Structures are given as structure tokens and as C-alpha cells.
Amino acid sequence: MKPLALFGGTFDPVHLGHLSVAWEASELLDAEVRLLPASVPPHRPPPIAGAAQRTAMLRAALRGQARLTLDTRELDRSGPSYTIDTLHELRAEQGDRPLVLLLGADAFAGLPSWHRWRELFEVAHLGVLSRPGVEALLPGELQREIAGRRGTDAADLRDRPAGRVLDLAVTSLEISATRIRELLAAGRDPRYLLPCGLFDDPALLGPYRKR
Ligand code: ATP
């Protein structure tokens, strides 16, 4: 069975870095990839764009292809969304299907600050997406947790539902939502850092533009 990969984030806004690494992960793992926007991220300031606006941007960004899909369950829930709860819900729906939580290298290094982070390995594999400018040094407790979990290729994620960690060498794109928000706030037009669908409706990027 094809693994189901989940790529969580605030997507404030979704950009070509997200889409390109998610697409390549889907190819490398031969997996269905769902983008999973977070409602009230427990670890960071609230997003500039609201849930409905971020959903509209994601829908516009994903138009015209079927490899990447959208899962809005965390936005539909009230209150903070913990990844571990979402993964348990998906596990209940998907039976023994391999689940893969996709994380950029920066997010992976911060994993020990997540709610019940060690439990994540019981419910899903982790796919770590290379990201430019990210220091490769991992905290000691994370290194110890993953020492016996390293996989070497995608086949390692198919023979069990959860528990392995695999590095995914995706094409480096030095794009961040922070940079895009800065450019838009400064009145610039980061046209080729964003999916073209975001320019179809001027209201989509409205929350970030300078007034
Ligand atoms: P911000 O700049 O607001 O922190 P971001 O660009 O890092 O945003 P998020 O929505 O916070 O985007 O990230 C969601 C996930 O996407 C994280 O796991 C993050 O590491 C990953 N990610 C984002 N941009 C890239 C990129 N250019 N290359 C690889 N991974 C990325």
C-alpha cells in the first residue's frame, strides 16, 4: 500500500519551497502527500492570515495537479492542534498503512519541544526534508531517540507502519514564508517564489500587503 505522508505547517503563505519539497517527497517515497495546515501553532506567533485565507491560498496553489492534496482537519478543530493527536486520528482511519510525517530539517531539529514528541515514532515514520541554511547538529536527546531508527531508503518505510526516520534529499530552495511576508509588507512582488495561482485573485495575498 502506498504510504500516506503528512506535511504540516502554518503555510502563511504556502510557497514554492513547500510545494517543491512535498512534490519530491511524494516521488521519492511513492506516497500520497497531504498538506496539513495548523490552526493555532503551539510553538510560534499566530499566523497573519486566518484559517479560511490560508485554506483559500492552499486550494489555489494545488489546483491543476492531483499528487498533493489538502487535509484541513486541524483547521476544522477548535483550539491548538497537536500533531500527535492528528496522527492518532489518521492511524485510526488508515489501519496499518505506513504514515510518514514530513518535516523540514529545521522543524526536525526542534522536535524535542513538541508535545509528546517521543510518541510520534509509535504512530508514524519521519521523513526529514533537507533545507538550505539549516545547521545539521541535532539535540542529544533527539540523536539518542533516532539512533536505532535510521532507514536507508524508501522501502524501509513500507514494511512497517511507523517508527523509522529517513532523510529525503530534496532540491534545495532557499524560500521561507518569513521572507515572503517581509517582501510583501515592503510593497515588493515575490511573483516567482509563490505558486502562480496565488496571483489569480488579488485578495489572496491581501493580508500580507502593505496598506
Ligand atoms: P516561516 O518562515 O513562517 O517559519 P516556513 O517557510 O518555514 O515559514 P512553515 O509553514 O513554517 O514554512 O513550514 C512548514 C514545513 O515546511 C516545516 O517542516 C518546514 O521545515 C518546511 N519547509 C518550509 N520551507 C521549506 C524549504 N524551502 N525547504 C524545505 N522545507 C521547508
Side-chain angles (χ1 to χ4, degrees):
M1 205 190 311
K2 269 189 191 238
L4 172 59
L6 292 313
F7 188 36
T10 38
F11 303 111
D12 186 32
V14 61
H15 55 68
L16 290 182
H18 295 128
L19 296 170
S20 179
V21 297
W23 185 273
E24 288 196 21
S26 157
E27 290 183 325
L28 291 171
L29 298 173
D30 189 21
E32 175 190 347
V33 173
R34 290 191 198 167
L35 273 56
L36 190 74
S39 53
V40 187
H43 293 118
R44 44 182 299 157
I48 305 274
Q53 290 166 313
R54 287 181 293 131
T55 302
M57 288 188 282
L58 281 159
R59 286 197 203 290
L62 296 176
R63 213 166 282 144
Q65 55 79 48
R67 193 187 275 278
L68 306 177
T69 58
L70 179 62
D71 188 327
T72 59
R73 72 181 66 216
E74 292 192 349
L75 299 181
D76 302 338
R77 220 187 260 158
S78 61
S81 43
Y82 291 112
T83 302
I84 187 65
D85 296 331
T86 303
L87 288 176
H88 277 301
E89 205 176 289
L90 283 156
R91 171 58 65 212
E93 292 168 13
Q94 301 288 330
D96 284 342
R97 182 177 187 186
L99 296 179
V100 186
L101 177 65
L102 297 174
L103 292 170
D106 55 320
F108 181 60
L111 201 68
S113 66
W114 290 29
H115 188 53
R116 289 153 53 202
W117 68 277
R118 287 193 168 86
E119 207 180 313
L120 294 169
F121 299 95
E122 292 166 24
V123 198
H125 300 294
L126 261 66
V128 183
L129 305 157
S130 48
R131 186 166 189 185
V134 175
E135 175 58 59
L137 203 64
L138 298 177
E141 54 182 336
L142 182 56
Q143 285 185 29
R144 285 190 292 280
E145 180 63 40
I146 64 172
R149 300 187 178 280
R150 287 278 184 196
T152 50
D153 72 62
D156 292 334
L157 307 193
R158 284 175 177 271
D159 62 4
R160 66 190 70 192
R164 290 252 164 93
V165 177
L166 187 68
D167 281 328
L168 298 170
V170 293
T171 305
S172 288
L173 284 174
E174 198 163 356
I175 305 176
S176 71
T178 302
R179 175 74 181 144
I180 287 166
R181 290 193 300 272
E182 284 167 5
L183 290 169
L184 287 166
R188 301 263 302 271
D189 181 20
R191 175 160 299 259
Y192 296 114
L193 302 180
L194 293 168
C196 56
L198 297 200
F199 295 92
D200 290 350
D201 173 358
L204 286 176
L205 291 170
Y208 309 105
R209 291 201 194 276
K210 130 179 127 170
R211 292 173 206 282

